[in-house]
Amino acid sequence: MTSAIACANANVALAKYWGKRDEALNLPATGSISVTLAGLETVARVAFIPDLPTDLVTFAGELAPPGEAGRLSRFVDLVRGQARTRARATVDIRSNFPVAAGLASSASTYAALARAATAAAGLPVSDTELSILARRGSGSACRSIFGGFVEWLRGTAADGSDSYAVPVAPADHWNVAVAVAVTARGPKAVGSREGMARAAELSRYYPAWVASQPADLDAIRQGIRDRDLALVGTTAEQNCLAMHAVALTAQPPLLYWNAATLAVMHRVRALREDGVDAYFTIDAGPQVKVLCPRPQRDAVAAALRAVEGVVDVLLSGPGEGVHLMEAT
Ligand code: PMV
């Protein structure tokens, strides 16, 4: 095999990954649980070409900026190391959701790239090995290997061999939806890598965040199994606010929200008072993801669209894990 194409969905964490126990290997300080998002996908194409002098990395056919090209190329080095090849590669990454809108694409990018690059290199890998590999590119990418509801195990081994994602429940287990309220376009000011390093070192609340995560993981895991939206939603909201409390108390503080982010949070709480089972979560950026029962998703999306400052609402729900589209 010398070339392959793979597709992976983004994911959103209900119990967040925020802080590392090993920076170089992307080993998390705590476990996390996410839902893989249908339709928010990245396609990675990789071809190993013997005489190519350097990797050629493109985003939807356009030459990638040097920093990002270097990071993707160093990730392909991991695959080259495992496959014992020195061949350089062409790598093309394209996402169908607006990356410029500041929606995290690193999870779907590194999950798709891990699958495509190993297939193109002819390297046989299990889903667990793929999850460990994707984690090296971006921590949250290890969860996008699997569909539905997914837990990333913290692990204790120094080499990261026991820190990978496992399925909690498949995509069709639970009829829920995720509405993504886009409140700003353009890349976020402080990326998650720098953000979590700053927060871990410099927030006085970081030890409390780490200590409280196991109870949230237990509640969310159980809530998913029981299809208990109130339990999952309430815990996910608290977990998100705790993560942002850690970010807010870093030095200098990380304030990821804009006015519309806050307006959407208030709107979601008002929806709940009106009897709609909607719950928000927010990652290291200003967009708000809202979890609700699938039959209520159009009403929730309409309510979010009406909030001042919301520029778009994308509709999603539990989706499938990474898959190979082509290998030749
Ligand atoms: O995988 P990274 O390094 O992009 O970090 C993701 C961090 C959050 O999105 C804020 C939380 C999470 O668990 O996805």
Side-chain angles (χ1 to χ4, degrees):
M1 228 86 43
T2 57
S3 75
I5 307 173
C7 178
N9 285 316
N11 70 71
V12 61
L14 302 170
K16 307 289 184 193
Y17 154 52
W18 195 249
K20 304 186 196 207
R21 65 183 169 90
D22 183 308
E23 189 86 25
L25 293 175
N26 283 343
L27 295 177
T30 71
S32 55
I33 295 180
S34 60
V35 52
T36 302
L37 294 173
L40 298 179
E41 61 189 36
T42 299
V43 172
R45 291 163 192 265
V46 178
F48 286 103
I49 299 173
D51 296 330
L52 203 65
T54 55
D55 287 336
L56 187 66
V57 182
T58 51
F59 288 161
E62 306 279 332
L63 218 53
E68 298 190 55
R71 188 173 159 197
L72 288 158
S73 200
R74 284 192 294 280
F75 181 78
V76 179
D77 284 342
L78 300 174
V79 177
R80 275 189 280 260
Q82 288 183 19
R84 299 182 190 285
T85 171
R86 295 163 70 99
R88 301 288 118 183
T90 58
V91 174
D92 184 63
I93 303 290
R94 65 186 72 200
S95 299
N96 76 344
F97 53 95
V99 175
L103 279 173
S105 62
S106 66
S108 51
T109 294
Y110 284 97
L113 183 56
R115 179 67 279 189
T118 49
L123 194 67
V125 278
S126 66
D127 283 350
T128 299
E129 288 165 334
L130 215 47
S131 182
I132 288 174
L133 176 64
R135 190 201 75 219
R136 299 284 304 273
S138 160
S140 57
C142 78
R143 300 186 307 235
S144 276
I145 298 301
F146 298 99
F149 301 85
V150 181
E151 178 162 3
W152 174 9
L153 308 174
R154 175 194 188 275
T156 53
D159 66 355
S161 53
D162 59 355
S163 184
Y164 49 79
V166 294
V168 173
D172 61 3
H173 164 76
W174 198 10
N175 207 16
V176 290
V178 177
V180 183
V182 178
T183 64
R185 301 201 187 274
K188 56 195 172 197
V190 180
S192 52
R193 183 174 292 259
E194 190 199 328
M196 66 177 86
R198 209 195 273 180
E201 274 172 42
L202 299 165
S203 166
R204 69 191 78 179
Y205 298 138
Y206 183 70
W209 157 256
V210 172
S212 63
Q213 186 78 337
D216 284 1
L217 289 168
D218 287 346
I220 289 177
R221 199 186 304 110
Q222 195 55 45
I224 290 168
R225 289 188 178 138
D226 296 344
R227 301 185 185 89
D228 182 341
L229 191 56
L231 178 59
V232 172
T234 308
T235 313
E237 262 192 27
Q238 284 168 355
N239 186 271
C240 154
L241 292 170
M243 177 202 121
H244 284 272
V246 171
L248 284 163
T249 47
Q251 296 292 339
L254 293 154
L255 175 51
Y256 286 110
W257 307 339
N258 60 31
T261 311
L262 208 54
V264 171
M265 292 158 77
H266 282 297
R267 190 72 192 92
V268 169
R269 288 161 69 135
L271 279 170
R272 267 208 309 274
E273 274 165 24
D274 293 343
V276 180
D277 251 344
Y279 302 88
F280 64 77
T281 188
I282 305 158
D283 289 320
Q287 328 303 357
V288 188
K289 287 102 179 177
V290 180
L291 186 68
C292 67
R294 196 178 165 85
Q296 291 182 341
R297 69 175 200 169
D298 291 335
V300 168
L304 299 181
R305 279 197 187 97
V307 174
E308 198 183 330
V310 170
V311 293
D312 199 5
V313 176
L314 311 173
L315 284 176
S316 179
E320 298 305 322
V322 69
H323 64 277
L324 205 53
M325 299 166 76
E326 206 179 291
T328 51

